[in-house]
Amino acid sequence: MANNRELNKVRSMTAFGRAEGTYATGTAIWELRSVNHRYLEPHFRLPEVGRPLEAKLRDTLRKTLSRGKLELTLTIKPNSVEHTGLEINQPLAKALIHAARQVAAGEDTQPLNPLQILQWPGVISEPEADTEQQSATILQTFREALQQLRANREREGAELAKFIEARLVGIEGQVALVRERLPEILEAQREKLRNRLEELSIDLDKERLEQEIVLLAQKADVDEELDRLSAHTAETRRVLAGGGAIGRRLDFLMQEFNREANTLSSKSIVTDTTQAAVELKVLIEQMREQVQNIE
């Protein structure tokens, strides 16, 4: 159930994630950055030790995210000298010291320098890195950074969903306003037509006048556009509630919103509906800009 709830969250494509993991000889540091993109486009920056793991890293990424342009940087920091666990080959060092003293016996030579002994091949050995442990740490740390990135995406996605919901409420308000005013607008236009005909001294029979009024009403009839705007509002809410990778679906809905707003504007015969169409376009554009950043 927990996994299903995670899938239902709205996710932004802009986020950052960072994680560190230590192993015997060093520390693995992952830094992940993502921005919006039509597809999933990862760019890995890996040191040599990370290259054999790239296929596994990409597979993990694909299972977690579906869209976004990502920069994924791995940094390996070796432990400082005091923690490297350097080992001294004591028998070899003693043998070298003994040999040096024998050579120096009776000779006027400089005192033996310990650093020269340590520089002799084989005197100091550094423990070999445990590649299995190192690889496991790199993979685990990557998963942790990726989960942090995803969590940040979800937090920003929740804010985007709130932003879009506020605009949907605004759209509903404009639709309700036009619906409420529509009968009054049509009646005013009928009266305007009658007055205009009287001013021009055009005597139309009652049937012809009714035909003209019907044509005017048809031209100004925006019930279908208002119904579709309401339907798109409901569908947008449904998609947001479903969560997941919904960016493309929302982008399509924004196009449909724009189509209806443009039609409403073209059918407008009074200032009220023209102003409502303008307000709708502003609200839709605000949503569209934010939808571009939703996964």
Side-chain angles (χ1 to χ4, degrees), residues 103-145:
V103 171
E107 299 288 337
D108 185 14
T109 59
Q110 294 181 350
L112 185 63
N113 187 343
L115 288 178
Q116 292 176 319
I117 299 296
L118 294 176
Q119 289 171 353
W120 190 270
V123 172
I124 292 180
S125 62
E126 185 176 349
E128 292 184 5
D130 186 339
T131 55
E132 186 174 337
Q133 184 193 45
Q134 185 184 58
S135 297
T137 301
I138 289 172
L139 291 171
Q140 177 58 30
T141 308
F142 179 70
R143 286 190 287 268
E144 292 171 4

Side-chain angles (χ1 to χ4, degrees), residues 37-51:
H37 196 270
R38 291 182 64 190
Y39 308 104
L40 182 62
E41 186 178 308
H43 296 276
F44 282 93
R45 296 180 177 179
L46 303 173
E48 198 60 38
V49 295
R51 296 193 183 283

Side-chain angles (χ1 to χ4, degrees), residues 182-211:
L182 197 56
E184 181 183 338
I185 290 170
L186 292 176
E187 182 56 39
Q189 288 302 305
R190 290 189 185 99
E191 188 61 31
K192 184 177 179 180
L193 177 60
R194 292 190 186 98
N195 293 338
R196 182 63 174 162
L197 292 174
E198 288 178 4
E199 288 175 6
L200 296 174
S201 300
I202 298 175
D203 186 18
L204 290 180
D205 59 57
K206 186 176 181 181
E207 183 178 347
R208 178 63 186 278
L209 180 60
E210 287 302 320
Q211 287 177 351

